[in-house]
């Protein structure tokens, strides 16, 4: 069974980003993957800010990432880039921490004006971490994700099509 870690750099677990995360999680699990959500916001802030590599929480998170067969990197867009929270965590990942792992970016922002955030802000950092198979990813606009009662999310048809295509590509790489 393939292991996929979803690395969420959202500072809020109420973000519409979780509509994309939950959808991708369901699709991957249906295909037979073991999916683990790693919310960076749940890690001790002081350990992230001070780059405490000896922190048990940081060590466990990095081990989870190292053990993964694939990684989904998810973030809201702030100031034309991924969240600072995500950057704090990525700074702790070893230099070759993403080598041999397909990486699927999932991003959400308020406007299509930030569509290229994946290519210009995230991909260079993933490449520096050894990521060589970075999928095109999915960029969504907030309005494409509706919050529903009970904590569920409704996704636009266009977003579902794009997520299905990207998750299918990841499944093919994992041979699911």
């Amino acid at each position: 069974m393939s292991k996929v870690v979803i690395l969420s750099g959202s500072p809020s677990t109420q973000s519409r980003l979780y509509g994309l995360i939950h959808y991708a999680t369901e699709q991957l699990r249906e295909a037979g993957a073991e999916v683990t959500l790693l919310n960076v916001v749940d890690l001790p802030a002081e350990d992230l800010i001070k780059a405490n590599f000896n922190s048990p929480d940081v060590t466990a998170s990095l081990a989870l990432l190292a053990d993964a067969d694939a990684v989904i990197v998810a973030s809201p867009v702030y100031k034309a880039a991924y969240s600072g929270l995500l950057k704090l965590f990525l700074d702790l990942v070893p230099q070759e921490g993403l080598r041999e792992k397909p990486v699927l970016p999932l991003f959400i922002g308020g406007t299509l004006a930030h569509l290229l955030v994946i290519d210009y802000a995230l991909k260079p950092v993933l490449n520096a971490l050894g990521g060589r198979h970075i999928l095109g990813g999915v960029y969504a606009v907030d309005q494409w994700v509706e919050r529903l009662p009970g904590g569920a999310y409704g996704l636009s048809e266009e977003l579902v099509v794009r997520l299905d295509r990207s998750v299918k590509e990841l499944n093919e790489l994992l041979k699911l």
Side-chain angles (χ1 to χ4, degrees):
M1 176 181 288
S2 293
K3 296 179 184 177
V4 179
V5 169
I6 300 179
L7 178 61
S8 173
S10 178
S12 169
T13 56
Q14 304 304 310
S15 170
R16 285 184 171 93
L17 176 66
Y18 285 89
L20 283 70
I21 290 171
H22 293 166
Y23 187 85
T25 297
E26 285 179 25
Q27 299 304 309
L28 288 162
R29 286 184 176 153
E30 284 178 18
E34 177 184 321
V35 182
T36 304
L37 176 59
L38 175 54
N39 284 312
V40 179
V41 73
D42 293 338
L43 297 175
E46 186 171 352
D47 290 343
L48 290 170
I49 292 169
K50 292 184 176 181
N52 182 0
F53 289 94
N54 295 320
S55 160
D57 292 318
V58 169
T59 303
S61 297
L62 293 175
L64 188 66
L65 196 65
D67 195 40
D69 299 304
V71 179
I72 293 177
V73 178
S75 178
V77 175
Y78 296 117
K79 310 290 188 224
Y82 51 88
S83 73
L85 183 62
L86 179 61
K87 179 65 166 116
L88 285 169
F89 184 80
L90 291 175
D91 286 346
L92 297 172
V93 176
Q95 191 68 33
E96 296 291 314
L98 296 177
R99 176 140 332 263
E100 307 297 326
K101 297 177 193 307
V103 180
L104 173 61
L106 297 180
F107 273 53
I108 195 163
T111 173
L112 279 174
H114 299 296
L115 177 66
L116 296 176
V117 66
I118 294 171
D119 291 327
Y120 291 115
L122 182 69
K123 284 185 179 180
V125 174
L126 297 178
N127 194 1
L129 295 174
R132 298 297 182 265
H133 199 106
I134 305 165
L135 303 174
V138 175
Y139 178 87
V141 176
D142 285 339
Q143 295 125 354
W144 298 349
V145 180
E146 178 186 4
R147 285 192 184 98
L148 301 173
Y153 295 92
L155 307 180
S156 72
E157 277 186 52
E158 177 183 350
L159 181 53
V160 167
V161 167
R162 294 173 64 225
L163 284 167
D164 283 344
R165 183 175 53 234
S166 292
V167 172
K168 179 181 178 193
E169 184 179 3
L170 182 59
N171 285 339
E172 288 170 357
L173 288 171
L174 294 172
K175 297 179 179 29
L176 294 175

